[in-house]
Amino acid sequence: MATDVWDVLLESQRLHWSFTPFERVGPMEFGMTHDEVQSAVQGVLAAATRQGTPGDDGWADFWLEPHPDAGLSGPAVTAYYDGTIGLAGIALNALRGPQVILQGMRLVGQTPSRLEHEFNDYLVARDMELRYSQHADPCCPQLGVLLRAQRAGDVVLSRPVVVAKAWADRCWDTSEGCIPQREWKTFQW
């Protein structure tokens, strides 16, 4: 029986979102409440699962709204909330998440090794720091960008996690950073 669980959106099928470090990813602004995030993505993403209560730490998976060009199901974006600041982390699903571009560099659904080289060149040219998580994920705390990998059937693709300034310190650290353990364990759809 065939399923779409490992299918990857074509670049032309993806939403395209702008990215301003520590401010926003597409319509999602750091500091928003869950209700504000839901309102901001209405019509393109819908909250599918959620853990946590308003004003508390938690997370929510947002799925693509039905689209005639893309019949894929599954999470597109995971929002991580911090009870003191609101929306604090955004993970973009490698298979069906929006394409996020940083100064011409596509961050979502890319070959991790190629993206790592391009990311490193970008950081070196701007005298920014490249760090690595204990899982060997490249990260730049000055941008609040962590480049994780996610399974797509028999291959892996880039799954960026972008964070608010409050979470940027040690955003590469799987044990002492603010990114929830749930994210560090995500390698599947």
Side-chain angles (χ1 to χ4, degrees):
M1 182 167 114
T3 68
D4 66 356
V5 70
W6 298 120
D7 290 346
V8 178
L9 285 176
L10 300 172
E11 191 67 23
S12 62
Q13 296 172 313
R14 291 184 187 271
L15 297 170
H16 285 83
W17 284 1
S18 60
F19 168 55
T20 305
F22 305 125
E23 290 182 28
R24 69 179 324 118
V25 178
M28 301 172 79
E29 294 181 27
F30 291 113
M32 286 180 155
T33 65
H34 177 70
D35 289 341
E36 291 170 330
V37 171
Q38 278 188 291
S39 179
V41 300
Q42 187 174 1
V44 291
L45 298 176
T49 55
R50 180 175 178 207
Q51 181 176 331
T53 58
D56 196 6
D57 296 344
W59 57 268
D61 280 334
F62 290 85
W63 290 33
L64 289 171
E65 290 282 357
H67 188 275
D69 293 338
L72 303 180
S73 61
V77 174
T78 300
Y80 292 105
Y81 302 98
D82 182 307
T84 60
I85 61 171
L87 180 63
I90 303 167
L92 297 128
N93 189 285
L95 284 66
R96 55 195 67 83
Q99 185 55 263
V100 173
I101 299 173
L102 173 65
Q103 303 260 324
M105 184 177 11
R106 294 179 299 145
L107 300 179
V108 181
Q110 306 302 302
T111 303
S113 60
R114 289 185 190 146
L115 180 57
E116 178 182 357
H117 289 294
E118 188 177 358
F119 190 58
N120 184 56
D121 291 347
Y122 174 88
L123 298 178
V124 167
R126 288 156 182 81
D127 198 29
M128 292 184 178
E129 178 182 21
L130 177 66
R131 301 291 304 252
Y132 286 91
S133 74
Q134 292 93 326
H135 297 255
D137 301 308
C139 178
C140 177
Q142 289 102 336
L143 295 173
V145 175
L146 171 71
L147 299 176
R148 301 203 54 249
Q150 179 180 344
R151 182 177 175 196
D154 293 335
V155 299
V156 294
L157 298 172
S158 60
R159 173 193 175 91
V161 178
V162 295
V163 298
K165 193 156 194 80
W167 277 20
D169 182 44
R170 304 184 72 84
C171 60
W172 66 91
D173 194 323
T174 64
S175 60
E176 295 182 15
C178 292
I179 295 173
Q181 286 301 306
R182 176 185 190 273
E183 178 59 36
W184 293 111
K185 295 176 182 175
T186 298
F187 187 68
Q188 55 200 9
W189 76 298

